[in-house]
Amino acid sequence: MLKSLEIKNFAIISSVKVAFGAGLNIFTGETGAGKSIVIEALGFLLGARGDSGLIKQGSSKMTVCGEFSSDSLSKAQLDKYGIKGAGFTLKRELDVKGRNKAWINDKAVLVADLADLGADLVDFHGQHEHQTLFKAAAHLDLLDEFAGLGAELASFKKEYDAFVDLKHKLAALEMSSEEKQRALDLYKYQLEEIEKLNIREGEDEEIEEVLPKMKNSGRLLQDAQTVYGYLSEMEGSAVETLAKALNALRQMAETDKTLQSAAEELESALNCAGDTASTISAYQEGLDADPECLDKLLSRQEDLRRAKAKYGATLKDVLAFADTLREKISALDCSGENIAKLKQALEKQDKKLLCLNEELFKRREAASKALAARIKEEISPLGFGKVRFEVSLDKRGEIGPKGDIAAEFLFSSNAGQALRPLRNIASGGEISRLMLGLKTVLAGSCGTMVFDEIDAGISGITGKLVGRKMRTLAKNKQIICVTHLAQVAACGEKNFNISKKESGQSTEVEVRALEGEDVILEVARMIGSSEGAKAGYQHAADLIAEALSVDLK
């Protein structure tokens, strides 16, 4: 459940905080007041795409923070994100440079983590989602969601991918003799080119390490001779000078014992200078200034570079590619035997896939009947006559990653009217009520359902029925609804008015919680009653009282 939502610098909202109720939360306001902005902000918080163009003019970033109860989350989700206790907070920021930041209980996370949590927290339905009902391609996914076939479909796709892989391998082996020979010639040429290089993994890195030394060997040798001269070879070198100083200090220490430690330190410095001189001497001997050796190393480096450009990003990749070539050559050389094995494996996989496909069909067939019954049960009270709803299942004959079934929802709202695809439904009101029924059935474990003007295309008695349906649904789930219908607003358990105010060059949005008299006045406004009109006020009060009396039965 969503407890509160705080929005800052989002679109035309400077700062708004909304405290939600547990039941039916209704948002109303004049057309263009920004009613849907609150819903957009909630969607942004829960991982929807963020557009820096939505940041309020003059601000550097927008922020949305929500407080939720954790009762609708699974133990796996709670453990995954370290959520403890009955409540937690989510926060998301987006700055003008398009940089996102996200937090769960003040711990930095990815925006994808917010979306992952959001899928289990809130089920959204906006006006544009009506269009999904017209697309038969989406109906199978809705049916599978209702049937809970997620794990079975993942397993089926894995087996389907294995089947396709076997088909591709068989097709590759069943090529013509000319194609086979061309492939063999190419693979052998590539393998021979790699094998001639006699590549050793890591060799390129060793060359890159030693090349700077070889390229600069002349200068390094000269510098090493200079250093060695200063240390040991020249008259007055460091070693010679330190030795003289040490002899003098030892004589002093014979007289004054306190200088003994100083003498030992100087002796250590003399030994260190001598060791360094020996190291530099050995370094000089190891320097190779041979131009021919350098040319060979540079040539080897270029050969390895070309190999990586053709066969892999690293020498390890090149060697792995060579192993693949050997497998391909071996497979083509023994193609007759391999074809027989592959055909046998493909036949076995085909039978397995057909069996799994039949199991999926049975599950879908049972689910289609249950879904149709549930949808009919949910929408019958919404002002329909002899309503009928069915899920048509059609076997296409060709198995794909989801099986060979196509599903389509069929609907008839009146007696004597034939079932027809949803795309043929012209009434926006029928679609709105049908979508409400679908959402009610398919919402799953989400604790909060959001409807953004789902009541489009309905009015009068039907509006009352939709409002009552939402209030009934709100007994078990938190409902957040943006509406333009007084009949729906009258059913609210917590009502909010959204208004837009212009001040100078700026526009502000205000969200105000309504109670008692204010709720009646807002419903009266929605009816079209002028301020102070007694008839409109009484009508609004009657609508609210009627909603309450029905709810209490």
Side-chain angles (χ1 to χ4, degrees):
M1 171 184 140
L2 175 61
K3 295 180 179 179
S4 67
L5 190 68
E6 188 172 5
I7 307 166
K8 291 184 179 179
N9 302 319
F10 190 98
I12 55 175
I13 294 177
S14 290
S15 181
V16 160
K17 185 168 184 179
V18 184
F20 294 87
L24 177 56
N25 296 263
I26 295 290
F27 285 82
T28 57
E30 295 285 0
T31 301
K35 296 188 294 296
S36 294
I37 294 178
V38 174
I39 306 304
E40 288 181 35
L42 177 59
F44 168 76
L45 174 63
L46 298 180
R49 182 179 176 275
D51 185 349
S52 57
L54 283 173
I55 299 174
K56 187 173 175 62
Q57 190 171 351
S59 302
S60 60
K61 65 181 180 181
M62 62 185 187
T63 306
V64 182
C65 182
E67 183 184 2
F68 296 83
S69 60
S70 56
D71 48 8
S72 66
L73 294 177
S74 65
K75 185 179 184 302
Q77 287 283 63
L78 295 173
D79 292 343
K80 180 178 180 180
Y81 295 108
I83 297 172
K84 298 178 181 179
F88 63 97
T89 59
L90 302 181
K91 183 179 177 182
R92 183 179 175 190
E93 286 182 357
L94 177 68
D95 65 21
V96 290
K97 293 183 179 180
R99 293 175 298 201
N100 278 285
K101 291 182 180 179
W103 295 267
I104 298 175
N105 280 341
D106 299 323
K107 179 184 178 183
V109 296
L110 300 174
V111 172
D113 294 326
L114 297 185
D116 181 43
L117 268 180
D120 291 328
L121 290 170
V122 180
D123 181 73
F124 285 90
H125 176 74
Q127 299 174 62
H128 67 281
E129 289 187 68
H130 284 347
Q131 301 304 317
T132 61
L133 276 183
F134 294 127
K135 299 175 182 177
H139 296 174
L140 183 64
D141 291 336
L142 290 171
L143 176 63
D144 288 342
E145 180 184 347
F146 174 76
L149 292 176
E152 289 82 353
L153 284 169
S155 177
F156 184 87
K157 186 178 185 304
K158 183 179 178 181
E159 298 299 338
Y160 173 78
D161 290 343
F163 175 78
V164 172
D165 185 53
L166 286 170
K167 283 184 71 175
H168 288 165
K169 287 180 178 178
L170 184 60
L173 289 180
E174 288 181 330
M175 62 180 69
S176 67
S177 58
E178 292 83 2
E179 289 174 321
K180 188 186 300 182
Q181 191 57 52
R182 281 197 295 271
L184 270 173
D185 289 344
L186 173 63
Y187 298 156
K188 288 180 178 179
Y189 169 78
Q190 292 174 326
L191 181 60
E192 183 181 357
E193 188 174 35
I194 295 172
E195 288 180 338
K196 276 183 178 179
L197 290 173
N198 196 24
I199 293 171
R200 179 170 48 81
E201 189 177 336
E203 182 182 358
D204 53 342
E205 296 173 358
E206 294 173 6
I207 291 175
E208 288 173 6
E209 187 177 341
V210 76
L211 265 179
K213 179 180 175 181
M214 292 194 67
K215 287 179 180 178
N216 297 281
S217 58
R219 179 179 59 80
L220 289 172
L221 180 60
Q222 184 177 354
D223 290 344
Q225 289 171 344
T226 301
V227 171
Y228 184 72
Y230 284 131
L231 285 172
S232 179
E233 198 171 56
M234 295 171 55
E235 185 178 347
S237 67
V239 171
E240 181 182 342
T241 303
L242 286 171
K244 290 179 180 178
L246 179 60
N247 286 332
L249 189 55
R250 280 173 175 166
Q251 290 177 9
M252 294 170 65
E254 288 178 0
T255 304
D256 185 352
K257 299 298 183 182
T258 61
L259 293 175
Q260 186 64 43
S261 61
E264 291 174 356
E265 290 173 359
L266 187 57
E267 183 178 9
S268 177
L270 174 60
N271 292 334
C272 184
D275 290 343
T276 303
S278 299
T279 300
I280 296 300
S281 177
Y283 178 78
Q284 293 179 68
E285 295 174 2
L287 282 173
D288 189 354
D290 183 1
E292 185 177 347
C293 183
L294 177 61
D295 287 343
K296 286 181 180 179
L297 208 58
L298 289 171
S299 177
R300 180 62 174 174
Q301 184 185 45
E302 180 60 20
D303 287 343
L304 296 178
R305 187 198 64 78
R306 282 198 298 265
K308 289 189 289 185
K310 292 175 70 173
Y311 303 121
T314 65
L315 291 185
K316 183 178 180 179
D317 294 333
V318 174
L319 293 171
F321 184 74
D323 290 337
T324 301
L325 289 173
R326 293 185 188 97
E327 291 175 5
K328 289 181 176 181
I329 292 169
S330 175
L332 287 173
D333 283 338
C334 308
S335 59
E337 180 183 345
N338 289 334
I339 285 174
K341 289 181 179 179
L342 276 175
K343 282 183 175 179
Q344 186 178 6
L346 187 62
E347 184 179 354
K348 183 179 179 181
Q349 188 66 17
D350 185 37
K351 289 179 179 178
K352 185 176 184 179
L353 207 57
L354 286 171
C355 182
L356 290 174
N357 183 63
E358 187 60 28
E359 290 177 14
L360 274 180
F361 174 74
K362 289 177 181 177
R363 290 282 301 275
R364 284 165 169 163
E365 189 175 37
S368 66
K369 294 175 182 177
L371 177 61
R374 287 284 307 279
I375 295 296
K376 184 178 178 180
E377 179 185 346
E378 293 292 340
I379 65 176
S380 290
L382 298 179
F384 288 111
K386 297 289 184 179
V387 64
R388 288 189 294 158
F389 182 90
E390 289 185 11
V391 181
S392 171
L393 298 180
D394 180 38
K395 288 193 173 186
R396 296 175 300 180
E398 182 178 348
I399 294 179
K402 296 180 182 179
D404 69 342
I405 296 298
E408 185 165 16
F409 296 163
L410 305 177
F411 176 75
S412 172
S413 58
N414 299 298
Q417 184 183 55
L419 286 164
R420 51 185 175 159
L422 299 190
R423 62 178 179 273
N424 295 334
I425 298 175
S427 168
E430 288 184 350
I431 285 292
S432 294
R433 286 176 283 164
L434 185 54
M435 181 60 86
L436 177 57
L438 275 170
K439 281 291 179 178
T440 302
V441 173
L442 299 174
S445 61
C446 279
T448 301
M449 295 177 69
V450 175
F451 296 103
D452 187 4
E453 296 197 20
I454 194 174
D455 48 26
I458 61 176
S459 60
I461 295 297
T462 304
K464 285 185 181 181
L465 296 173
V466 168
R468 291 172 187 172
K469 180 66 180 177
M470 286 191 180
R471 186 151 181 154
T472 301
L473 185 60
K475 290 179 179 179
N476 300 311
K477 292 181 181 290
Q478 181 189 47
I479 306 297
I480 299 171
C481 176
V482 174
T483 184
H484 67 284
L485 275 184
Q487 292 88 341
V488 174
C491 295
E493 295 172 87
K494 191 160 186 179
N495 290 62
F496 301 88
N497 172 261
I498 299 182
S499 59
K500 184 168 63 176
K501 296 181 179 180
E502 294 182 2
S503 176
Q505 300 297 315
S506 66
T507 302
E508 298 292 338
V509 169
E510 181 183 44
V511 180
R512 186 167 61 96
L514 305 177
E515 293 182 3
E517 187 83 0
D518 288 338
V519 177
I520 299 174
L521 291 172
E522 176 66 5
V523 174
R525 179 198 65 77
M526 297 175 74
I527 293 170
S529 174
S530 58
E531 189 173 347
K534 291 182 180 180
Y537 180 91
Q538 188 58 49
H539 186 192
D542 290 343
L543 279 175
I544 294 170
E546 184 182 357
L548 285 171
S549 66
V550 171
D551 189 51
L552 291 173
K553 287 182 179 179

